[in-house]
Structures are given as C-alpha cells and as structure tokens.
Amino acid sequence: MAVTLELSNIAKRYSKKVWGVKKMDLQVKNKEFIVLLGPSGCGKTTTMRMVAGLEEVTRGTILLDGKDITDKAPRDRGISMVFQNYAIWPHMTVFDNIAFSLKLQKIPKKEIRLRVEDTAQMVKIQELLERLPGQLSGGQQQRVALARALVVKPKLFLMDEPLSNLDAKLRVIMRTELKAIHLKTGATSIFVTHDQSEAMSMADRIVIMKDGEIVQIGTPDDVYFRSASVFVAGFIGTPPANFFNVHCHIDGKDITLTNENFNLSISRERFENLADYEGKNIILGIRPEDIEIVEESEALFSNEIMVIEPQGSHQVVALNVSDNIVKMIVPAETKLQYNDTLFLNFKMNRLHLFDSDTELRIN
Amino acid sequence: MTMKNPQLLLSMETRRKIMPYLLIAPVIIYYFIFWLFPVINSVIGSFKDIEDQWTLSNYIYIFKDPVFYQSVINTGILVVFSVTVEFLLAFGLALLINIKFKGSSVFLFLAMIPMALPAVAVGAIWTSGFATRGWLNSFLMTFGFIDDAGKFLFLAGGKYASMLLIIIVDAWQVIPFVMIILLAGLQGIGNDMKEAGYIFGGSRFQVLRKIIIPMLKPTITTAMILRIISAIQIWLIIVMIFGFNRIPVLLEQVVLNVDELGSEFFLRIGMALSVIVALIVSLVAILYLKVSGSFEKKDGDSE
Ligand SMILES: Nc1ncnc2c1ncn2[C@@H]1O[C@H](COP(=O)(O)OP(=O)(O)O)[C@@H](O)[C@H]1O
Ligand SMILES: [Mg+2]
C-alpha cells in the first residue's frame, strides 16, 4: 500500500533540557488509522503539531504523499485536525464553523452547502447547523469539530485526544462512531490518546511512545501478545500484565525459571533466545487472563485471594505474591470468596520474557 | 405556633430576596451623596439665573455663542482622529506584544510608562518639548535632522497643526491604556482558536480578520467606549500646552467658565455647558453601543 505520511528522524527540542520528541521514524500507509499511545508528556501532541505545521521541527523531514512538507505552512499541507478542546469558533454558527475552510477556498456557495450538510449528516448534527457553539453540549461541540475537519477531505486527518473531554459513556459511543466514519471515508488518520483501551479498539496500528521516542509499532494484537518491553506490557491491558523477577537456569533441554514462589519449567525448543541467559535474572510477564485456576496436582503455586473485583462479565482477582500484587481474570461463573486459596498455573504459550537490564523482550 | 425569634417572622424566601439590596446599600448611599446630589444640583442650577429665578437664558447664551460651536467642532475632530489613531496603534502594539517575542515583557513595561504619568506631568513634558528651545528641537539638532535656523515653531502653528500636536500627545499618553485592554482581550483567546484558523486554510491576515477581531469584539467595544468618552472630555493637556481659548473644546470651556472667569453668571453658564457635555457623552455612548451591536440579544450564548 502506498505510504501517505513519512516521518524521518524527526525531533523537537523546546529548550536546552526539554525535548518534546527525541527521535521519531514512522510511515503511515494510505487509509490507515494510526494511534499514538503513551503516558502524558511522552511527546504525542508535539509529534502531531509538527505534522500539522504548528510546531517547527528541530531535526528531520516530513513527507506527505511523497512531497516534503517540513517547512510548509499548515494551510499548505493538506491536513486537517480535531483539537482536544474542540477549538470551534464561538462567534460563528455551526454551519460557518464547518464551512470556514471551504469559503476560504472560494468554493461555490451551493457546493459548500451540500458538502456541509453531507458532513453534518454523517456526524449527526444536521439539526444544529444554525446554532452558535455556546448553545451546544460538549458532545455536540465535539461533533462540530469533527465535521469541520472531515469536510475538507484532507490527505491526512489528525486527532489529538478528541474524546478525552467527553464523559465515559459518550466516549465509548464516539469511539465506535469514529471508527465507522473512518471505514466509510477511508481518510488516513493519526489519532492521539493516552487511553490504551481506546487505542486498542480503534487502531489499525498502534505507535507506543515513551519519553519522546517510539517503543513499539504494531497492530493491537502485536502490542498485546508480543509486547516489545516491560513498559509496553505494563501499559497495555486492563489490568496490565503482571511481572515476576525470575532466575534462569538452563540444563540441557530444560530451562527452569525460579523465584521464591515457583519453579517454572519450560522447554528449550520454544525459547531458543534464552540460551544466553543461563544463570542470569530475567523478568517474566504474564497477562491477567493467562493465569489459570487448576487442580492442586497441576499447580505451579498457590495463593490466597486478597481482593475480588467483580466486573459483571468477569471478575478481577488480586493476589499478594510476596508483596507483589498480581491480578488475574476469572470467569464470572466461578464462585470465589475472600481468603480462598487458589491453585494456579500459567498458560505456557503466553509467557512474556524480558531482559532485566534493558527490559526488552527476549522471546 | 408561637414565634419568639423575630428573624423567623421573615420567611427564608423573603430574606433571600432582601439580602442583595442590603449588600449594595452602602454603594447606593454613597452614590446618592457624592454623585447624584451634585448632579441634580448643577442641573437645577443651570436652569436658574443669578437671582435664583427659573430661566433658559444660560442655554440661550451658550447657543448664541460662536465659541461653543467652535468647541463642539474641535472636540468632534479630536475625538474622531485621536480615537482612530490610538486604536490602530494600540491594536498593532497589542498584537506585537502578544506574540511574546524575546524582550516583549520589557517592551510592554516601557510602553506602559506614559500611562503612569499624571496629565499635568504629561503637559509639562510636552510644553517643554514643544518650546522653540525645548528638548524636541535640541534632540532633532543633536542628530543633525535640523540646524539652528531650522528649529520647528511647534506652538506657533495654525489650528490644524496645533490639533495634530494635541492628538500626538494624547495618543502618546493613552495608547498604553488601550493596548493593555486589548492585550488582556487577546490573551483570553485560546491559542487553538488561531491554530485552527491556520489549519483550516487561513492566512495570518484572514485569521486576524475572521477569528481574532470578531472574538475580540466585546473588548474592542469596551476600549472604544472608554476612549470616546474620555476623548470628549479632553481639556487639561490642551490648556497646559496652549492655554485657554486657543483651541476651544467643550470641557475646557466648562472649566473656563466655572474656574477661570469666576463670577456667578459664568458659573451658571458652566453648569449649563456641563449638562450639555453630559448629554453629548451619553448620546455618543448609546449611539456607539447601538452601532456596534452590543444591545443585540445573544440568545442563550454562554462563553
Ligand atoms: N510549548 C512547549 N514548551 C516547552 N516544553 C513543552 C512545550 N510543549 C510540550 N512541552 C514538553 O514536551 C514534552 C512532550 O509534551 P507533549 O507532546 O505535550 O506530550 P503529550 O501530548 O504526549 O502529553 C513534555 O515534557 C512537555 O512538558
Ligand atoms: Mg497531549
């Protein structure tokens, strides 16, 4: 597929000590929906603003449809954007807000009306076109901002935490609608969020950032099942992965991962990359749904239930394993009680192993 | 049910309604004593002659006096030109400072100095500046723009040249004030409002015209109305630089009649004149608000 946006080695330095983005390489394919995900302050907004032309780059180049737009003014880039606080203009009606860019392009009035009405229909605000933004709810303002960005049919569609000011229920509804709109329009999009479940549910590919750098790029399944680092495994998932420090002992065909709670034997065939770790400590990660309740005879270890958090569709059970809180997901039907002792094992094909020093994935 | 506590005689509802009036009562009393009373007094005084008989003669005297018409015209010219010049320059400066370039806060500080000076000091500075051997001429000579023979006779100019000087001095003093108001308004406009303008195809000028200025309109209206009102009331600077009656303006004539000419007759003329000035000010203010659309009801608009 054709590459729409290409960021090569871009960086943004705000001042001597403050880097907004340290190094970013990214290719966004045509019609792709990319989500930039990371904790607050990791450089998502900065990246977005450099692509939009609202912030100068300190280093690197930005190509859009093969053309260098690094030094172009925002309006000459062919992009549009949804701002976190909507940034719709309070003195213009909804119609005028949406039509702003079309009017500047001197498009005939009739066509403007058609396009604005079409777009308004798509985001369900066709009844609000004559209102002023002050008369709209937050969710409706959000839709206006969306319509204004969609109506220009941009080469690239940028959204900076567009849902974060909505209440929880509306946020989930808008997620679905946004994705549906994306499927319908096929607009190449970059969506910024710090909410991992939002990222997982919307993205074709997720770009996970930390401290101004990319730590992993991949599909939702990639980042979930093959997390590139302890940071990613601990950031993605509700609840995120659990970690254990284990000692790696290799004896012929067998590998044993040991700590004070368990001795886990795994076959060498499946973990070739562990060869160099004989006698060393590594980090074992396991996701909450990959810890299973088993018969006592098959148990890797046992533990008492510390807290049960019912979620309706399932329950989250928290254990205290040597002062390390471990969370696991148990089906709703399983009858459990506070202080019950559980016999537990890990799903062997779902182990995540990380180097203790670099915290990068081994297997 | 017997009620011992008198407070309970008033329902919660009544007390809640009375409360605001109690709270603003001191202000209203103050207003009556120090504002309304003198105003009523001079309005009444303007309709009486020196024998304390009701009369319109004070007004008739004024309307027959050519100096009155002269001062209306002069005031009008000064208001139109000084307010326009001041607004344009102040807006430009406010936009500039709002960019927050390096040293913009120092610049802001420097620009505010004239505002801190009392009108008397401003008058003194410029009277000494405009004198033939004043600092303006010696400044120009030091930098070789003029020689000794070419000194400007600032104060000897004709009526329009003199008014130009007044406009310059007034602008010099007032621009910082207008600029601060506009700057405060500009800083209230979120950056993303402008950025959205740039993203959606606006040039700098288009964003200024279609987004910043309309959003700044309430602030502009406030600044303009304050400026227009005080421009109608300009007098001290003129008197300090040119003395009385060289460039007659409305308020200067009031002061002249009340303070300088000093007889009971002229005091009453002065009262009548101030009533006229007050009417003109209110009229202009209402007219401006009307034209600028501030009376239009914005339904349900909450920003
Ligand atoms: N205008 C700015 N001036 C200086 N530092 C900034 C500016 N904007 C952002 N930063 C810094 O750059 C880093 C990345 O910020 P940002 O891109 O806003 O993060 P995110 O959007 O991921 O929360 C942060 O450390 C932030 O403090
Ligand atoms: Mg951000």
Side-chain angles (χ1 to χ4, degrees):
Chain A
M1 240 190 296
V3 174
T4 295
L5 179 76
E6 182 164 5
L7 307 181
S8 317
N9 194 25
I10 61 164
K12 174 70 189 181
R13 187 179 202 168
Y14 283 112
S15 59
K16 245 188 174 150
K17 287 197 184 134
V18 182
W19 288 84
V21 168
K22 285 183 197 140
K23 176 173 162 36
M24 227 16 224
D25 285 293
L26 178 65
Q27 295 196 337
V28 180
K29 294 180 204 120
N30 192 20
K31 303 200 170 181
E32 201 172 20
F33 196 102
I34 287 277
V35 174
L36 298 187
L37 173 67
S40 181
C42 71
K44 308 180 296 290
T45 297
T46 305
T47 306
M48 197 76 128
R49 291 173 58 82
M50 286 192 288
V51 174
L54 297 172
E55 208 77 68
E56 281 176 22
V57 303
T58 308
R59 188 188 67 214
T61 54
I62 304 171
L63 301 185
L64 186 62
D65 276 352
K67 286 190 211 77
D68 189 339
I69 57 161
T70 317
D71 297 316
K72 283 221 168 122
R75 65 187 191 131
D76 300 325
R77 294 190 175 207
I79 44 139
S80 72
M81 184 160 174
V82 178
F83 290 78
Q84 180 168 3
N85 300 312
Y86 318 138
I88 51 180
W89 303 298
H91 59 288
M92 296 182 200
T93 61
V94 169
F95 183 93
D96 289 336
N97 263 282
I98 301 174
F100 183 83
S101 54
L102 303 181
K103 283 182 184 166
L104 289 182
Q105 289 171 37
K106 301 247 172 356
I107 288 173
K109 274 215 163 84
K110 262 193 179 158
E111 192 190 333
I112 292 183
R113 181 149 283 282
L114 277 178
R115 278 173 70 174
V116 170
E117 280 170 356
D118 267 6
T119 316
Q121 187 102 25
M122 183 154 57
V123 299
K124 301 182 186 151
I125 50 168
Q126 60 270 41
E127 272 85 42
L128 307 176
L129 286 176
E130 298 316 317
R131 299 245 196 117
L132 284 170
Q135 306 163 303
L136 303 181
S137 69
Q140 289 169 329
Q141 296 192 19
Q142 169 70 73
R143 286 166 190 270
V144 176
L146 206 58
R148 179 178 65 180
L150 284 168
V151 80
V152 296
K153 306 215 167 78
K155 289 184 195 142
L156 183 64
F157 191 49
L158 304 175
M159 290 168 272
D160 190 357
E161 312 219 13
L163 308 183
S164 63
N165 284 347
L166 303 178
D167 63 69
K169 193 174 160 217
L170 196 53
R171 203 178 309 161
V172 179
I173 295 174
M174 283 303 285
R175 239 188 233 181
T176 314
E177 284 193 31
L178 263 181
K179 192 159 182 179
I181 289 173
H182 170 72
L183 291 175
K184 193 164 153 194
T185 61
T188 313
S189 308
I190 302 183
F191 181 101
V192 162
T193 181
H194 62 261
D195 178 341
Q196 55 88 23
S197 80
E198 201 167 283
M200 294 289 282
S201 60
M202 300 183 75
D204 291 328
R205 283 192 302 153
I206 300 179
V207 177
I208 300 176
M209 296 180 64
K210 185 193 176 200
D211 298 335
E213 282 174 296
I214 295 176
V215 290
Q216 186 170 10
I217 303 179
T219 63
D221 279 358
D222 286 340
V223 298
Y224 192 80
F225 295 111
R226 296 194 48 79
S227 307
S229 67
V230 171
F231 171 78
V232 175
F235 191 70
I236 302 264
T238 349
N242 302 292
F243 300 101
F244 302 91
N245 282 312
V246 293
H247 184 79
C248 176
H249 179 66
I250 303 180
D251 182 10
K253 281 199 163 184
D254 296 323
I255 302 179
T256 322
L257 303 176
T258 319
N259 71 3
E260 55 191 291
N261 303 104
F262 54 76
N263 284 303
L264 176 61
S265 297
I266 53 181
S267 81
R268 184 157 179 181
E269 272 168 61
R270 286 181 52 187
F271 295 94
E272 268 313 320
N273 303 349
L274 273 181
D276 298 339
Y277 287 88
E278 152 62 17
K280 290 187 184 163
N281 282 333
I282 63 171
I283 298 169
L284 166 66
I286 186 84
R287 294 212 169 266
E289 66 276 24
D290 299 333
I291 304 178
E292 289 176 307
I293 301 177
V294 293
E295 295 298 319
E296 186 170 359
S297 56
E298 297 167 18
L300 185 62
F301 67 108
S302 65
N303 208 278
E304 273 180 16
I305 294 178
M306 184 170 79
V307 168
I308 302 171
E309 302 167 1
Q311 300 286 317
S313 61
H314 61 270
Q315 38 192 337
V316 175
V317 174
L319 316 168
N320 185 343
V321 182
S322 308
D323 283 340
N324 183 11
I325 292 183
V326 170
K327 290 196 172 180
M328 54 184 287
I329 289 177
V330 179
E333 310 80 62
T334 314
K335 293 272 173 279
L336 294 175
Q337 269 188 334
Y338 170 68
N339 267 352
D340 278 359
T341 297
L342 298 180
F343 297 98
L344 304 164
N345 207 338
F346 299 150
K347 287 186 189 161
M348 285 308 144
N349 56 349
R350 294 285 187 83
L351 300 181
H352 302 254
L353 301 178
F354 304 100
D355 186 298
S356 324
D357 297 327
T358 63
E359 300 202 339
L360 295 179
R361 187 178 191 90
I362 302 168
N363 63 327
Chain B
M1 203 163 62
T2 56
M3 288 194 204
K4 297 249 165 64
N5 190 342
Q7 241 198 350
L8 292 177
L9 287 172
L10 296 172
S11 74
M12 196 72 159
E13 176 74 7
T14 338
R15 267 184 288 150
R16 201 173 53 80
K17 275 189 182 152
I18 291 177
M19 206 54 189
Y21 296 103
L22 285 178
L23 289 174
I24 60 166
V27 179
I28 293 185
I29 292 168
Y30 174 90
Y31 207 64
F32 264 90
I33 296 177
F34 292 102
W35 192 84
L36 201 57
F37 188 64
V39 165
I40 291 174
N41 224 15
S42 50
V43 171
I44 292 175
S46 73
F47 286 103
K48 289 195 166 176
D49 64 17
I50 41 179
E51 262 107 46
D52 212 26
Q53 299 299 309
W54 292 103
T55 178
L56 283 176
S57 63
N58 299 320
Y59 288 93
I60 293 169
Y61 177 91
I62 291 171
F63 287 123
K64 279 187 173 162
D65 182 2
V67 178
F68 169 72
Y69 295 100
Q70 197 54 55
S71 59
V72 171
I73 291 169
N74 287 348
T75 308
I77 294 175
L78 283 177
V79 169
V80 170
F81 284 96
S82 71
V83 171
T84 311
V85 167
E86 284 158 15
F87 173 76
L88 291 178
L89 288 176
F91 191 45
L93 281 175
L95 286 173
L96 195 68
I97 289 179
N98 198 39
I99 300 173
K100 297 192 188 67
F101 55 93
K102 248 197 180 120
S104 64
S105 47
V106 175
F107 184 70
L108 177 63
F109 174 75
L110 289 177
M112 276 168 57
I113 291 177
M115 192 170 74
L117 297 173
V120 179
V122 175
I125 289 173
W126 288 97
T127 331
S128 65
F130 289 143
T132 310
R133 298 195 167 281
W135 56 260
L136 252 178
N137 268 330
S138 53
F139 176 85
L140 292 173
M141 271 163 67
T142 312
F143 287 93
F145 292 119
I146 54 173
D147 58 22
D148 197 49
K151 280 192 289 226
F152 286 107
L153 303 173
F154 291 106
L155 299 178
K159 181 177 149 190
Y160 293 106
S162 306
M163 284 176 71
L164 184 64
L165 286 187
I166 293 168
I167 289 171
I168 291 172
V169 173
D170 189 57
W172 179 81
Q173 192 193 7
V174 158
I175 282 174
F177 168 79
V178 181
M179 184 193 72
I180 294 287
I181 296 182
L182 294 176
L183 190 61
L186 281 175
Q187 286 172 347
I189 299 176
N191 243 338
D192 52 359
M193 291 293 166
K194 293 172 238 169
E195 288 173 351
Y198 296 130
I199 296 260
F200 291 106
S203 63
R204 272 185 189 283
F205 179 70
Q206 284 165 331
V207 169
L208 181 68
R209 201 167 67 83
K210 296 190 186 256
I211 294 167
I212 297 180
I213 291 181
M215 286 187 71
L216 202 60
K217 203 169 137 195
T219 312
I220 293 177
T221 308
T222 310
M224 290 293 273
I225 205 86
L226 288 174
R227 271 316 299 153
I228 289 173
I229 290 172
S230 59
I232 296 176
Q233 298 174 348
I234 187 170
W235 72 278
L236 186 55
I237 294 284
I238 300 180
V239 171
M240 289 207 61
I241 298 177
F242 292 107
F244 281 105
N245 269 338
R246 249 294 283 291
I247 313 281
V249 290
L250 282 171
L251 215 64
E252 173 230 26
Q253 291 297 305
V254 174
V255 177
L256 180 69
N257 280 294
V258 173
D259 281 354
E260 298 293 309
L261 302 177
S263 74
E264 180 71 20
F265 172 74
F266 286 117
L267 178 66
R268 299 217 174 262
I269 300 288
M271 282 176 174
L273 205 50
S274 31
V275 171
I276 294 173
V277 175
L279 282 179
I280 292 178
V281 169
S282 328
L283 213 72
V284 170
I286 289 171
L287 209 71
Y288 177 77
L289 289 178
K290 197 135 205 144
V291 170
S292 70
S294 299
F295 290 143
E296 279 166 33
K297 196 168 172 285
K298 290 188 203 161
D299 39 330
D301 191 19
S302 57
E303 275 166 50

